[in-house]
Amino acid sequence: MIKVTGVTKYFDDFKVLDDVSMHVRRGTIYGLVGPNGAGKTTLINHINGCLIPKSGEISIAGEPVFENESIKKKVQNISDDWFYYSTFTVREMAQFYRDIYPSFSSSRYEAIKEIFKIDEKRQIRKLSKGMKKQVAFWLSLSACPEVLILDEPLDGLDPVMRKQVLSLVIADTLDREMTVLVSSHNLRELEDICDWVGIIHNGRMILEKELSDLKGSVHKYQLVLDEAARKALSEDNNILHISHTGSVYSIIVRGDADECTKRFSVLSPVLCERISLTLEEVFIYELGGLGYDFKNIIV
């Protein structure tokens, strides 16, 4: 649905994007992760057609995005500086969306209104930051986009409303096969909603995987072993990290979970327990294996 191929971008002499490629498949939620300054917003501004790359190509549904009106009518973008006319009420801004987007659904608008319960007669500029963000989701989802692009979309929302907003996005993805690209520096926010994850650092895409594959490739075990078994661990090239407290060893290993369990069972451990890793922990060890210092990439 969204294809980025070999995109490079300079601002003056500074290379902001360096040969970036990514693929967001139709009907999926793709999490783009990286710290401030990694190039996330610049990449998104290329995808939504606001910037032209120095080299490379960007397409949505097989069509180039820059100055493509037909494609832009199918795409909604919500960022921290979401646009609205300063004098408009919510109702007036909704009418603006109706005029611009042919797919705008009045029934969807009314349904979401019952969830957010914001007075349509209020000027948007007089709303709190969190309420403005709710209006952005309200109008954008009412436009029934084929593609929804979200750049740090949950800033300003309280935890309850964050869950509500994400539930609406997930529902539209399932019901209409909407494609979602969500950019964030917060892995915990993405873990429960994303199908795919890509991580960008210093303008380069350094990892792009389906979430199930990513989380299925690295595992954490707790083992209690004798001296001979502990020496055998040091010869296992798939082990990414070993730490211990007394006789209890915590081991991070890459590979198929069943195969890993079999290998450890051969060591006759007193205890062998597999523990679920968070997405953040998976990235720590995946990127550590690629030579990256994770604490300097995800903040």
Side-chain angles (χ1 to χ4, degrees):
M1 189 67 178
I2 302 173
K3 285 191 176 181
V4 176
T5 307
V7 166
T8 297
K9 179 68 174 181
Y10 286 84
F11 290 144
D12 296 325
D13 295 330
F14 181 69
K15 186 184 287 186
V16 184
L17 298 177
D18 185 2
D19 194 28
V20 172
S21 295
M22 64 184 291
H23 183 197
V24 183
R25 291 148 180 83
R26 182 178 180 84
T28 63
I29 301 178
Y30 184 110
L32 179 63
V33 185
N36 293 332
K40 299 189 303 296
T41 297
T42 301
L43 178 56
I44 283 177
N45 284 336
H46 281 80
I47 293 171
N48 64 29
C50 293
L51 294 176
I52 307 175
K54 174 71 173 178
S55 60
E57 298 178 348
I58 305 108
S59 65
I60 293 178
E63 296 186 42
V65 298
F66 189 74
E67 294 187 341
N68 189 331
E69 183 178 343
S70 65
I71 285 295
K72 290 186 177 182
K73 287 182 178 180
K74 300 175 183 179
V75 177
Q76 288 292 318
N77 183 82
I78 301 177
S79 63
D80 202 38
D81 57 350
W82 171 74
F83 171 80
Y84 60 90
Y85 287 109
S86 61
T87 61
F88 275 23
T89 64
V90 175
R91 181 179 294 170
E92 289 169 334
M93 199 65 193
Q95 185 58 53
F96 175 77
Y97 269 60
R98 285 189 183 91
D99 295 338
I100 296 295
Y101 300 106
S103 59
F104 191 94
S105 169
S106 294
S107 61
R108 184 66 170 147
Y109 175 84
E110 293 297 328
I112 298 176
K113 179 173 71 173
E114 293 302 313
I115 295 172
F116 290 151
K117 300 186 183 303
I118 296 173
D119 185 355
E120 294 176 281
K121 299 177 184 178
R122 292 188 64 182
Q123 285 186 321
I124 299 174
R125 67 184 176 89
K126 294 182 179 180
L127 299 175
S128 68
K129 181 178 180 179
M131 294 176 74
K132 289 176 183 175
K133 191 60 66 74
Q134 291 175 51
V135 172
F137 275 97
W138 181 3
L139 300 183
S140 296
L141 291 176
S142 297
C144 299
E146 291 186 21
V147 175
L148 180 64
I149 300 174
L150 307 173
D151 190 5
E152 300 291 351
L154 303 180
D155 287 354
L157 296 176
D158 62 61
V160 173
M161 190 51 64
R162 287 182 180 216
K163 290 184 178 180
Q164 184 66 71
V165 164
L166 291 177
S167 295
L168 289 170
V169 171
I170 292 171
D172 275 20
T173 304
L174 295 174
D175 293 345
R176 301 189 293 101
E177 286 196 310
M178 181 175 69
T179 302
V180 181
L181 171 61
V182 52
S183 165
S184 179
H185 64 274
N186 191 328
L187 285 171
R188 294 180 182 88
E189 288 183 348
L190 300 181
E191 186 164 7
D192 294 332
I193 66 167
C194 290
D195 307 299
W196 284 75
V197 178
I199 186 165
I200 188 170
H201 178 53
N202 288 340
R204 295 186 63 86
M205 186 68 72
I206 59 177
L207 187 67
E208 185 182 36
K209 282 190 177 182
E210 192 169 4
L211 185 59
S212 58
D213 290 344
L214 184 63
K215 296 189 74 172
S217 64
V218 181
H219 313 282
K220 183 176 183 178
Y221 284 82
Q222 283 192 339
L223 303 173
V224 176
L225 303 166
D226 60 25
E227 183 65 25
R230 291 196 291 270
K231 290 181 179 179
L233 287 178
S234 63
E235 301 172 2
D236 192 329
N237 293 329
N238 290 312
I239 291 179
L240 303 175
H241 180 77
I242 300 176
S243 62
H244 70 94
T245 302
S247 61
V248 179
Y249 280 71
S250 293
I251 299 171
I252 309 298
V253 60
R254 180 185 287 113
D256 177 78
D258 292 337
E259 290 299 320
C260 292
T261 300
K262 288 178 182 178
R263 291 208 311 276
F264 292 142
S265 296
V266 170
L267 302 176
S268 301
V270 177
L271 170 71
C272 180
E273 181 181 13
R274 183 157 62 95
I275 301 171
S276 297
L277 285 167
T278 66
L279 180 57
E280 186 172 34
E281 287 175 315
V282 171
F283 272 125
I284 288 172
Y285 298 109
E286 280 280 2
L287 295 176
L290 294 172
Y292 290 94
D293 186 353
F294 185 87
K295 69 177 181 294
N296 292 326
I297 299 176
I298 301 298
V299 293

